[in-house]
C-alpha cells in the first residue's frame, strides 16, 4: 500500500484528517499539561498535593477499585447467560443492560435520588433504619455501577457469540467440571476482552461527572471525586489548580488509549 | 429440573441467571421504577404543565438543535476519519486511530475545562475568533463545540469495521465496468455503509442530547438561551423541585430508549444488507 503514487485526493484527505484531529484532539490534550505547568513545577506539585485534591484522587481510585471488579464478574455472568443459552426474556436483558449507557448521566443521578433519597421510594425505610445513602461514598459507587453496567458485557457478548461453544463442550465431554471448564477453557479465550472492558469501565468511573454530581453532594474533602474537585477549583478561579488536578485524569486517559490500542493489536477484535 | 439440564448442554444457567437478574434488578430496574413511580404519582396535568412550560420548550429546542448540528459535523468528520483510517496507510496512522477515542477516555469535566479555556477571549483559539465577532464561550456555539468533542468516536467506530469489509471484488467489478472513483463510492460503497453511518450519527446525537459535564463549563447556562435539558433537571433538583426533575428526566429516558430501539433496528438492517450482498 505504501507506494509513492498517492493521488491528490488521497493526500488532501489524509492532510485534512491530521489537521482537524490536531485542532480538535491534540491541542486540547497539550493544553491541559501546558496550563498545569505554566507556573512552574513547584506550583504544580503544590497544587497536586493540596489535601482536598489528594482526597479526591483517593476517593476516585477507591470507587474504581470497587466498581471495576464487580463489573467484570457481572459482565462475565451476563455474557455467559445471553450467549450460551436461549430463553424467553433474553433480548429484554440485553436491552436493559444497555439502557444506562444511552441515557444522560444526570438521569442516572436522578433515578438514584428517587430510590434512596429522602423523598425517594426507599427514603422512609432508610430513614427509619437510620441509614444515609445519598451524598455518601456508597451513592457514588452505586451510580458508577449504573452508568458502566454494560461496559464489560458489551465487549464479551459479540466475542463469545463468535467463538461458539465447541471448546467448552469438548472440555465437558472429557470430564471437566463446570468450574474447570470455565478456568481452563472459557477464561483464557476471553481474558483480553475482559481487560478491554475493564479499561473502559475504569476510564468512565474515574471521569463520571453528571451522575456523581447529583448524588455525591460535593462535600470537599469528603465526597468530592476528581471531576467534581476540578469543577470547584475552576469555579474558585484557581485555573492552574484545576488543570493540575486534571493532569491526573488526562494521564489516565492517555494510558487508557495506549492499553486499548495495544489490546486491539492482539487481534481478537 | 432434569429436563432443563438436558436442554442446556452447558452448565451455569441457574447461577448466571441468578447473578444477572439480581444485579439488573438492584442496579438498573429498581431505580428506574422509583423514578417512574414518581412521574406516575404526579398526574397527567402536572406532568404536561412541566414538560410543556416555556422554559422546558426552550431547553429542548437548544439541546436538540445543538445536538443535530454537532451530529452533522461528526457525521462528516467521522466519515473522513473512518475512510482515511481504513483506505490509506501512512505514518502516524496507529496514533491517529488511538487518538479518535480520546473523547471517551477523557472525563467530560476535563473536556469542558479545556474547551472553555481554549475559546476564552485570551485562549489559544478564542483570541483569533473573538475579534472577528465569533464568540463561542457562553453561547450556543459553545454547546455545539462541547457536543462535537464528546461524541467524535461514534461515527468513526461504527463505519470503520463496515468499510473494512466492503468487498473489494464488488469495487473492482464496478471499476472494470468503467465506473469512476466517485461512481464506485456513490453506488457501491455508500449504500453498504449507510446503515452503519446512520447508526453512528444516531448514537452521536443521543450522546449529545445527554451530554452534561462538558456543556455546563462552556455554555454559560442562561435560561432560554444556553440552558440544556440536563442542566434544567439539575437546577430543578437544586431547587428541591423533584416533580420538575422527574418529569424532564422521564423525557430524556424515553428519548434514550427510542435511540436504543432505533440503533438495534439499524444493526439488524446492516446484517440483512450484508447477507443479501453475499
Amino acid at each position: 500500500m505504501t507506494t509513492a503514487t498517492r493521488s491528490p485526493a488521497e493526500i488532501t484527505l489524509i492532510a485534512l484528517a491530521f489537521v482537524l484531529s490536531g485542532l480538535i484532539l491534540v491541542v486540547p490534550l497539550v493544553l491541559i499539561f501546558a496550563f498545569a505547568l505554566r507556573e512552574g513545577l513547584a506550583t504544580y506539585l503544590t497544587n497536586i498535593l493540596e489535601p482536598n485534591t489528594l482526597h479526591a484522587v483517593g476517593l476516585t481510585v477507591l470507587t474504581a477499585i470497587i466498581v471495576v471488579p464487580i463489573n467484570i464478574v457481572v459482565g462475565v455472568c451476563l455474557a455467559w447467560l445471553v450467549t450460551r443459552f436461549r430463553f424467553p426474556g433474553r433480548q429484554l436483558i440485553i436491552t436493559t443492560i444497555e439502557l444506562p449507557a444511552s441515557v444522560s448521566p444526570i438521569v442516572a443521578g436522578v433515578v438514584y435520588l428517587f430510590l434512596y433519597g429522602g423523598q425517594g421510594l426507599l427514603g422512609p425505610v432508610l430513614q427509619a433504619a437510620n441509614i444515609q445513602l445519598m451524598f455518601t461514598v456508597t451513592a457514588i459507587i452505586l451510580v458508577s455501577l449504573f452508568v458502566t453496567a454494560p461496559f464489560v458485557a458489551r465487549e464479551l457478548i459479540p466475542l463469545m457469540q463468535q467463538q461458539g461453544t465447541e471448546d467448552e463442550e469438548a472440555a465437558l465431554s472429557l470430564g471437566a467440571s463446570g468450574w474447570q471448564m470455565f478456568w481452563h477453557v472459557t477464561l483464557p479465550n476471553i481474558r483480553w476482552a475482559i481487560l478491554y472492558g475493564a479499561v473502559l469501565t475504569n476510564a468512565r468511573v474515574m471521569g463520571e461527572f453528571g451522575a456523581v454530581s447529583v448524588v455525591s453532594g460535593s462535600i470537599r474533602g469528603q465526597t468530592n471525586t476528581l471531576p467534581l474537585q476540578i469543577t470547584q477549583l475552576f469555579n474558585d478561579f484557581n485555573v492552574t489548580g484545576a488543570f493540575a488536578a486534571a493532569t491526573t485524569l488526562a494521564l489516565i486517559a492517555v494510558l487508557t488509549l495506549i492499553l486499548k490500542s495495544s489490546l486491539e493489536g492482539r487481534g481478537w477484535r | 429440573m432434569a429436563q432443563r439440564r438436558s436442554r442446556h448442554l452447558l452448565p451455569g444457567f441457574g447461577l448466571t441467571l441468578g447473578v444477572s437478574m439480581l444485579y439488573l434488578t438492584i442496579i438498573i430496574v429498581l431505580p428506574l421504577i422509583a423514578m417512574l413511580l414518581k412521574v406516575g404519582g404526579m398526574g397527567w396535568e402536572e406532568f404536561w404543565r412541566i414538560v410543556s412550560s416555556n422554559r422546558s420548550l426552550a431547553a429542548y429546542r437548544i439541546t436538540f438543535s445543538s445536538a443535530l448540528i454537532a451530529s452533522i459535523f461528526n457525521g462528516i468528520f467521522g466519515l473522513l476519519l473512518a475512510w482515511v483510517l481504513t483506505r490509506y496507510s501512512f505514518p502516524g496512522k496507529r496514533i491517529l486511530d488511538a487518538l479518535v477515542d480520546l473523547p471517551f477516555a477523557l472525563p467530560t469535566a476535563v473536556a469542558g475545562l479545556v474547551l472553555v479555556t481554549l475559546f476564552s477571549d485570551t485562549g489559544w483559539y478564542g483570541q483569533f475568533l473573538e475579534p472577528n465577532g465569533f464568540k463561542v464561550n457562553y453561547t450556543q456555539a459553545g454547546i455545539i463545540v462541547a457536543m462535537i468533542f464528546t461524541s467524535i468516536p461514534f461515527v468513526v467506530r461504527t463505519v470503520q469495521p463496515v468499510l473494512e469489509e466492503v468487498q473489494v471484488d464488488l469495487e473492482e467489478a464496478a471499476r472494470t465496468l468503467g465506473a469512476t472513483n466517485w461512481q464506485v463510492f456513490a453506488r457501491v460503497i455508500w449504500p453498504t455503509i449507510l446503515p452503519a453511518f446512520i447508526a453512528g450519527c444516531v448514537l452521536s446525537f443521543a450522546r449529545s442530547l445527554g451530554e452534561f459535564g462538558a456543556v455546563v463549563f462552556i455554555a454559560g447556562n442562561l435560561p432560554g438561551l444556553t440552558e440544556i435539558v440536563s442542566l434544567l433537571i439539575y437546577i430543578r433538583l437544586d431547587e428541591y423541585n423533584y416533580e420538575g426533575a422527574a418529569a424532564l428526566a422521564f423525557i430524556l429516558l424515553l428519548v434514550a430508549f427510542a435511540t436504543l430501539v432505533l440503533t438495534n433496528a439499524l444493526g439488524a438492517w446492516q446484517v440483512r444488507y450484508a447477507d443479501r450482498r453475499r
Side-chain angles (χ1 to χ4, degrees):
Chain A
M1 279 289 266
T2 33
T3 47
T5 54
R6 287 183 194 275
S7 70
E10 183 178 336
I11 294 167
T12 315
L13 290 176
I14 294 175
L16 200 59
F18 268 106
V19 170
L20 285 175
S21 305
L23 286 174
I24 301 175
L25 298 167
V26 181
V27 169
L29 195 57
V30 171
L31 181 131
I32 298 172
F33 295 95
F35 269 68
L37 292 164
R38 66 180 174 171
E39 286 168 25
L41 196 63
T43 316
Y44 174 74
L45 287 176
T46 318
N47 277 325
I48 282 282
L49 298 175
E50 200 270 322
N52 284 340
T53 300
L54 267 189
H55 185 274
V57 172
L59 182 56
T60 300
V61 172
L62 173 76
T63 311
I65 286 176
I66 294 171
V67 171
V68 174
I70 295 178
N71 221 311
I72 291 175
V73 172
V74 176
V76 171
C77 280
L78 271 161
W80 182 262
L81 181 70
V82 302
T83 60
R84 297 305 186 242
F85 307 107
R86 289 282 175 277
F87 56 94
R90 180 176 161 274
Q91 192 57 46
L92 189 65
I93 289 182
I94 298 177
T95 309
T96 309
I97 191 83
E98 278 291 336
L99 196 59
S102 31
V103 75
S104 169
I106 283 293
V107 176
V110 168
V111 296
Y112 270 84
L113 203 58
F114 289 145
L115 184 59
Y116 296 118
Q119 304 269 315
L121 192 62
L122 300 181
V125 183
L126 290 172
Q127 223 150 27
N130 213 5
I131 300 172
Q132 170 76 24
L133 265 181
M134 276 299 119
F135 316 123
T136 65
V137 178
T138 317
I140 296 175
I141 292 168
L142 284 172
V143 289
S144 301
L145 285 171
F146 181 89
V147 294
T148 57
F151 280 34
V152 172
R154 187 193 268 171
E155 299 306 325
L156 293 181
I157 291 170
L159 178 73
M160 288 170 71
Q161 203 115 48
Q162 179 207 330
Q163 283 175 346
T165 58
E166 277 173 29
D167 289 359
E168 281 140 4
E169 280 163 13
L172 288 178
S173 68
L174 290 171
S177 72
W179 285 113
Q180 282 174 325
M181 173 212 68
F182 178 75
W183 287 110
H184 298 292
V185 180
T186 311
L187 203 55
N189 279 338
I190 59 170
R191 60 186 166 174
W192 297 117
I194 291 178
L195 183 57
Y196 188 89
V199 167
L200 297 183
T201 307
N202 181 61
R204 178 66 194 263
V205 169
M206 290 195 161
E208 181 47 39
F209 176 74
V212 172
S213 65
V214 173
V215 301
S216 90
S218 302
I219 306 160
R220 263 176 230 224
Q222 285 183 42
T223 58
N224 246 8
T225 60
L226 260 175
L228 299 178
Q229 174 71 7
I230 291 168
T231 313
Q232 288 191 348
L233 287 169
F234 179 74
N235 289 337
D236 294 347
F237 302 104
N238 182 356
V239 176
T240 311
F243 273 104
T247 55
T248 52
L249 290 170
L251 278 177
I252 290 165
V254 172
L255 205 65
T256 304
L257 293 184
I258 294 171
L259 266 171
K260 196 168 175 290
S261 177
S262 57
L263 282 171
E264 278 166 348
R266 292 190 177 270
W268 58 267
R269 267 216 133 196
Chain B
M1 265 335 251
Q3 217 176 6
R4 162 151 291 171
R5 183 141 301 161
S6 67
R7 199 149 50 95
H8 300 301
L9 224 54
L10 292 167
F13 181 75
L15 178 70
T16 55
L17 183 71
V19 172
S20 302
M21 292 313 284
L22 188 70
Y23 191 77
L24 289 181
T25 307
I26 293 176
I27 296 297
I28 302 176
V29 178
L30 210 57
L32 287 180
I33 288 176
M35 194 195 75
L36 293 179
L37 284 176
K38 194 84 187 169
V39 174
M42 70 175 67
W44 173 251
E45 266 169 35
E46 173 75 353
F47 175 78
W48 186 250
R49 194 183 57 73
I50 294 167
V51 300
S52 66
S53 76
N54 281 336
R55 192 165 169 186
S56 303
L57 291 178
Y60 305 144
R61 201 181 58 242
I62 293 156
T63 312
F64 276 76
S65 62
S66 306
L68 189 67
I69 297 169
S71 313
I72 292 170
F73 178 90
N74 275 341
I76 299 166
F77 183 42
L79 197 59
L80 168 74
L81 282 175
W83 180 264
V84 165
L85 287 172
T86 50
R87 290 298 160 125
Y88 308 135
S89 61
F90 48 88
K93 180 171 161 172
R94 193 136 179 234
I95 295 175
L96 184 62
D97 194 28
L99 207 57
V100 167
D101 288 315
L102 179 71
F104 284 176
L106 196 69
T108 56
V110 177
L113 175 69
V114 172
L115 292 173
V116 76
T117 310
L118 271 178
F119 288 99
S120 80
D121 52 3
T122 55
W124 292 0
Y125 294 165
Q127 59 179 315
F128 301 109
L129 295 173
E130 287 215 358
N132 295 309
F134 194 71
K135 196 162 163 42
V136 174
N137 282 3
Y138 317 125
T139 69
Q140 194 180 5
I143 301 178
I144 296 168
V145 165
M147 287 177 173
I148 286 175
F149 182 84
T150 48
S151 58
I152 284 170
F154 285 112
V155 174
V156 189
R157 294 306 183 218
T158 46
V159 171
Q160 212 175 2
V162 185
L163 207 49
E164 258 158 23
E165 281 182 15
V166 172
Q167 282 122 325
V168 185
D169 51 338
L170 267 176
E171 277 183 67
E172 278 170 359
R175 261 179 243 283
T176 2
L177 293 170
T180 62
N181 277 340
W182 178 248
Q183 281 173 326
V184 171
F185 181 79
R187 302 275 174 83
V188 179
I189 299 171
W190 179 246
T192 317
I193 61 173
L194 187 61
F197 176 73
I198 298 174
C201 291
V202 171
L203 285 172
S204 166
F205 182 71
R207 170 66 195 257
S208 296
L209 286 184
E211 183 48 41
F212 177 72
V215 173
V216 289
F217 268 89
I218 201 170
N221 313 323
L222 301 163
L225 287 173
T226 58
E227 185 177 70
I228 56 166
V229 182
S230 298
L231 180 73
L232 185 52
I233 296 174
Y234 191 80
I235 290 172
R236 291 295 182 237
L237 286 177
D238 248 11
E239 298 166 350
Y240 301 103
N241 179 352
Y242 292 121
E243 269 77 24
L248 291 168
F250 179 70
I251 297 283
L252 283 189
L253 191 67
L254 275 187
V255 175
F257 191 73
T259 316
L260 212 55
V261 171
L262 189 61
T263 43
N264 280 348
L266 285 165
W269 178 26
Q270 179 77 58
V271 170
R272 271 206 309 280
Y273 200 91
D275 286 348
R276 206 163 63 225
R277 290 223 147 186
R278 239 159 232 146

